[in-house]
DNA sequence: ATGGATTTGTCCGTATGTATG
DNA sequence: TCATACATACGGACAAATCCA
């Protein structure tokens, strides 16, 4: 019988762990062979000059992990390990890989940042939110620590249903609303729910690609339901077997086109006759700067198969992590089934949900929406005017009526990518609109280049300067 | 030219909205035909005895929504609507449907609730959490209102990597960690990432069905990698073409089996040789009541293709909504690609992430884990003893070493469902273990029925009573 | 056919009551 | 309390289309 090499150095960690580690390493390192007998607990304890307790604990732990086994009244024996062990050494490879994190950080700084996602979250009603948040923590926290309604807090859904009716003309019961922490997640549920409907989904051209990508990942084919920049082509839908259409009727991306009422009606008629489904993307539908917000498609036919999609990330702040679906009655039972099948839980914080409910109930949310609307209206107008002045001789500002950006259409000789790079070199961030069109080649051929100029992230006073700077940088490329 | 039926009643709402609504209803109701000319702004204003402005505003809004069109210097004309309009009347159908909400509420009350999901969240370190949360709100809120790192806050991931190394033996860099608000969501990402690897995934028998269901929804076939209650059968894996295996090595569900080291080694060897992937579900891996927590499989071979899955819902509270994956290096680039393709955002609140980071950095989290462990250890032991006393003549308590529940194995004449119903009638909630086995028929045939008895949601003092009550209720079914 | 008067959509400066901070 | 901002409403100016003597 060979002695194991255990010895106890000075150490802060408990004795039994030291013993455990030492024997484990002996086994791993091949210094103790399979089926070899370990010293008995008493003997080991004597050798190490400790009591039997830590040795026994160490042996228990080793046994629990399968390193050794106990043969009652015989002793502890080393278990049989595959000989390939040494291949998997604990190489604590904490070295940095070459993987850059540039996509993660938004640390790049621009003198003039006309990016889209950069919204004016600074106008978030911080003080009210904090106060209501603390109130929730104070008054309801015990209850909220436990699992809640997987579909979302009933109170919030009730408040939301009322809000959607008042401001967006959406007609629904709170039972139709599904709360979730992320857009893709909710659309993923939806894609699964609609899997039996048709193998393809139709989207607008152009459009924000989120819905298309999510459905694509779920195995759907994607086709366009429109000619570029035109309305929905019903005959096209009828020719194909597609029975799911995704639209953004109150603010098509990126151009901001509003779907006219007759197109809405035709789409609803199509859905009714073909038993099709309409996904209504209404992100930012509250923000319209000319006249009233255009009521949602869903409200025209509350009993039709329209799924309304919205959220609070843009209008309030991303930290809220609350988005929602409004499901038609026909999808309620399937959704409940799906939930039980996939075993998902609510992904949004109950505390945040309750706080948001208070914010809405007490009217602060609607106030905030109005404030945002007027703030953005001003910036939108300033930007439109500044661009008009700078580029009136070679282009136009399109549809500056809603959203967080507008479209600058220019007669130019260079490609959009070249011009964006030039702007970037000059410290200005703008984006191309072409990326969102189905036919990239057609965009290339177009004489008129289109850029998305966001006004969310830039200070009002810097808009005019930024526009002038942009004109100067782009001067060589423009066709006056 | 026909007069429209607009009239202005006493009303709180603005004139222009009244006019807008009236004309809209006239068009919708068919009282105004397509291409019909509306009264000019001035004429309409005269008739209504208002100024031109509200009329003009109303017309603008109607135009924006596509109900009417303007022919400059000629007049406004009603647009062409599909004749099917009347079918889509604004039926404000706010009636209650028969749809019950029973699945949503957890309102059912039991005298003795031995349910699993009901944890002792009451021991959540509320005061520390609140304090740190407020600190975050005070000091970092402006920054946190904007979009953050889509993979999760770097600071939290760093802290988490250190914690996982200390407590679970997981070896990883923060770049490998992906934060998300929900288990299914993260597993959904993972399923897409692994789509090219193999068309099937192998799971343990029994196991918690979350991973299987998620992968199934993503189109994977699911097969079992074990005989019921046995270890992973490598030859079985080799026979099939499966190259993805999901396991819970530190605490198999529901029995609590710990995967012995040689099985771990063989599994890792299999993964290396077959270029397979191992998904290590480590929910509740921190909670072991006998000896130390068993280190994670991932740490045995940090450079192998092991995906470690964990979260804070069970150990802290569901409200946190923070879960995580630890990806192997081979999946980092594919993950970044996926993120750009699917355009998903971070689904967990940045404020919560930062607060959790502080909770961990300042040691409160580990303190909490230790507290939970000793609390659950006590309750676990009390329950095990109580059940042992009550049922020693007709069954056993299996493996009461970890997790939030233990298994009561009983010789009984009735089916598990019958007995659960009987318990329910007596005000006691317990669950069946059979639901988690692949072969349901085999479970039926088994003489020994298995129940999952949770101790999370029940007060320590009520355990003994509850066990006695349960014995009394089940008396008729037992085979002594 | 024609030129002037009228009507039209469109744009703009201003006033008022209400809400906000 | 007071100053400010906003939504709403008023009335007029302009240029293009239309009508009519």
């Amino acid at each position: 019988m060979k002695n194991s090499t255990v010895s106890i150095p000075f150490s802060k960690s408990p004795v039994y762990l030291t013993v455990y580690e030492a024997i484990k390493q002996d086994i791993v390192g091949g210094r103790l062979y399979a089926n070899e007998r370990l010293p008995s607990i008493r003997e080991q304890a004597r050798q190490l000059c400790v009591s039997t307790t830590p040795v026994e604990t160490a042996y228990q732990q080793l046994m629990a992990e399968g390193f050794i086994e106990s043969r009652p009244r015989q002793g502890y024996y080393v278990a049989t390990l595959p000989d390939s062990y040494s291949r998997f050494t604990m190489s604590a490879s904490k070295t940095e890989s070459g993987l850059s994190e540039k996509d993660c950080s938004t640390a790049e700084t621009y003198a003039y940042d006309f990016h889209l996602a950069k919204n004016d979250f600074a106008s978030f009603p911080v003080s009210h939110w904090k106060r209501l948040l603390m109130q929730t923590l104070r008054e309801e926290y015990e209850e909220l620590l436990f699992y809640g309604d997987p579909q979302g807090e009933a109170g919030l859904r009730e408040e939301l249903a009322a809000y959607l009716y008042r401001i967006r003309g959406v007609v629904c019961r709170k039972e139709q609303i599904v709360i979730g922490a992320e857009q893709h997640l909710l659309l993923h549920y939806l894609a699964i729910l609609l899997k039996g409907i048709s193998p393809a989904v139709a989207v607008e051209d152009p459009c924000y690609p989120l819905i298309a990508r999510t459905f694509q990942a779920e195995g759907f084919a994607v086709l366009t339901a429109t000619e570029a920049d035109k309305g929905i082509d019903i005959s096209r839908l009828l020719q194909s077997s597609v029975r799911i259409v995704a639209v953004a009727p109150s603010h098509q991306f990126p151009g901001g086109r509003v779907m006219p009422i007759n197109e809405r009606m035709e789409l609803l008629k199509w859905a009714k006759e073909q038993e099709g489904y309409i996904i209504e993307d209404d992100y930012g539908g509250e923000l319209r700067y000319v006249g009233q917000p255009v009521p949602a498609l869903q409200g025209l036919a509350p009993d039709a198969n329209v799924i309304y999609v919205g959220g609070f990330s843009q209008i309030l702040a991303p930290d809220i992590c609350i988005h929602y679906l409004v499901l038609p009655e026909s999808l309620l039972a399937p959704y409940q089934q799906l939930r039980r099948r996939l075993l998902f839980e609510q992904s949004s914080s109950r505390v945040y949900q309750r706080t948001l409910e208070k914010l809405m109930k007490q009217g602060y949310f609607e106030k905030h929406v109005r404030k945002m609307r007027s703030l953005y209206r001003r910036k939108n107008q300033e930007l439109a005017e500044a661009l008009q002045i700078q580029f009136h001789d070679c282009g136009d500002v399109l549809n500056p009526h809603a959203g967080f950006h507008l479209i600058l259409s220019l007669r130019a000789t260079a490609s959009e990518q070249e011009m964006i790079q030039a702007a970037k070199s000059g410290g200005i961030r703008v984006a191309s609109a072409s990326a969102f069109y189905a036919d990239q080649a057609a965009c290339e051929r177009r004489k008129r280049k289109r850029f998305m100029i966001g006004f969310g992230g830039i200070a009002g006073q810097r808009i005019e300067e930024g526009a002038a700077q942009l004109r100067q940088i782009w001067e060589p490329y423009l066709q006056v």
Side-chain angles (χ1 to χ4, degrees), chain A residues 364-377:
Chain A
Y364 296 114
F365 176 67
E366 258 185 70
K367 206 171 286 182
H368 171 70
V369 171
R370 276 197 296 276
K371 195 168 132 201
M372 291 288 277
R373 200 177 333 189
S374 72
L375 170 70
Y376 279 139
R377 170 182 294 143

Side-chain angles (χ1 to χ4, degrees), chain A residues 8 17 20 150 156 210 257 271 279 292 301 305 407 437 444 447 452:
Chain A
I8 302 188
L17 271 184
Y20 158 80
L156 172 62
L210 175 68
R257 175 179 187 269
I279 304 172
Q292 293 287 110
N305 285 326
I407 299 284
Y437 284 82
E444 291 278 337
K447 290 234 177 76
M452 302 169 61

Side-chain angles (χ1 to χ4, degrees), chain A residues 35 55 93 96 105 113 148 161 176 192 208 268 330 342 388 395 454:
Chain A
N35 288 316
V55 177
S93 60
E96 283 294 317
S105 74
D113 194 340
Q176 292 172 254
I192 299 180
Y208 190 68
L268 286 168
S330 63
L342 293 189
Q388 190 62 43

Side-chain angles (χ1 to χ4, degrees), chain A residues 101-111 113 118 424 429:
Chain A
E101 266 187 274
K102 68 172 189 295
D103 265 298
C104 297
S105 74
T106 48
E108 297 171 55
T109 50
Y110 292 81
D113 194 340
K118 291 231 159 189
K424 187 176 177 180
R429 174 151 74 168

Side-chain angles (χ1 to χ4, degrees), chain A residues 205-206 226-231 252-255 257 437 446 450:
Chain A
D205 179 22
T226 70
E227 286 295 324
D229 293 308
K230 295 285 190 303
Q252 189 194 30
F253 190 89
R257 175 179 187 269
Y437 284 82
R446 265 200 310 236
R450 289 189 189 178

Side-chain angles (χ1 to χ4, degrees), chain A residues 213-442:
Chain A
R213 300 276 176 83
T214 299
F215 275 71
Q216 222 158 21
E218 221 58 58
F220 287 79
V222 175
L223 48 95
T224 53
T226 70
E227 286 295 324
D229 293 308
K230 295 285 190 303
I232 299 285
D233 186 345
I234 299 285
S235 66
R236 211 167 176 172
L237 292 180
L238 292 174
Q239 276 167 30
S240 72
S241 64
V242 70
R243 276 171 57 210
I244 308 167
V245 182
V247 290
S250 58
H251 184 221
Q252 189 194 30
F253 190 89
R257 175 179 187 269
V258 174
M259 187 184 290
I261 183 66
N262 57 354
E263 197 178 325
R264 292 174 188 233
M265 299 313 311
E266 275 171 18
L267 194 57
L268 286 168
K269 184 179 161 196
W270 166 86
K272 179 143 194 170
E273 289 174 0
Q274 307 297 316
E275 293 181 38
Y277 283 78
I278 300 168
I279 304 172
E280 176 174 20
D281 175 354
D282 197 46
Y283 274 90
E286 301 97 339
L287 294 179
R288 191 171 169 77
Y289 312 128
V290 180
Q292 293 287 110
V294 180
L297 176 62
Q298 194 269 0
L300 283 175
D303 49 353
N305 285 326
V306 177
I307 301 105
Y308 179 92
V309 183
F312 293 92
S313 278
Q314 291 195 38
I315 191 75
L316 265 177
D319 183 67
I320 305 291
C321 291
I322 296 178
H323 302 249
Y324 50 88
L325 300 176
V326 179
L327 297 176
E329 299 283 344
S330 63
L331 289 179
L332 294 191
Y335 167 78
Q336 298 295 346
Q337 267 189 312
L338 181 71
R339 193 171 64 62
R340 280 189 288 267
R341 183 156 65 90
L342 293 189
L343 299 164
F344 54 79
E345 296 288 347
Q346 177 50 243
S347 46
S348 292
S349 155
R350 295 185 75 191
V351 171
Y352 276 17
Q353 288 184 64
R354 294 276 179 114
T355 307
L356 180 56
E357 180 190 337
K358 291 195 184 81
L359 199 78
M360 297 182 86
K361 191 167 261 159
Q362 300 180 17
Y364 296 114
F365 176 67
E366 258 185 70
K367 206 171 286 182
H368 171 70
V369 171
R370 276 197 296 276
K371 195 168 132 201
M372 291 288 277
R373 200 177 333 189
S374 72
L375 170 70
Y376 279 139
R377 170 182 294 143
R378 205 166 34 245
K379 289 176 74 172
N380 174 64
Q381 193 180 340
E382 282 176 31
L383 178 57
E385 279 171 12
L387 291 174
Q388 190 62 43
I389 291 170
Q390 295 297 335
F391 296 96
H392 65 97
D393 54 348
C394 56
D396 303 287
V397 175
L398 306 181
N399 245 348
H401 299 325
F404 303 103
H405 66 272
L406 41 74
I407 299 284
L408 179 60
S409 165
L410 291 179
R411 287 186 301 274
T413 52
S415 77
E416 292 178 19
Q417 282 313 315
E418 276 178 80
M419 292 174 70
I420 287 167
Q421 275 307 316
K424 187 176 177 180
S425 308
I428 301 183
R429 174 151 74 168
V430 295
S432 157
S434 295
F436 304 101
Y437 284 82
D439 190 343
Q440 292 294 318

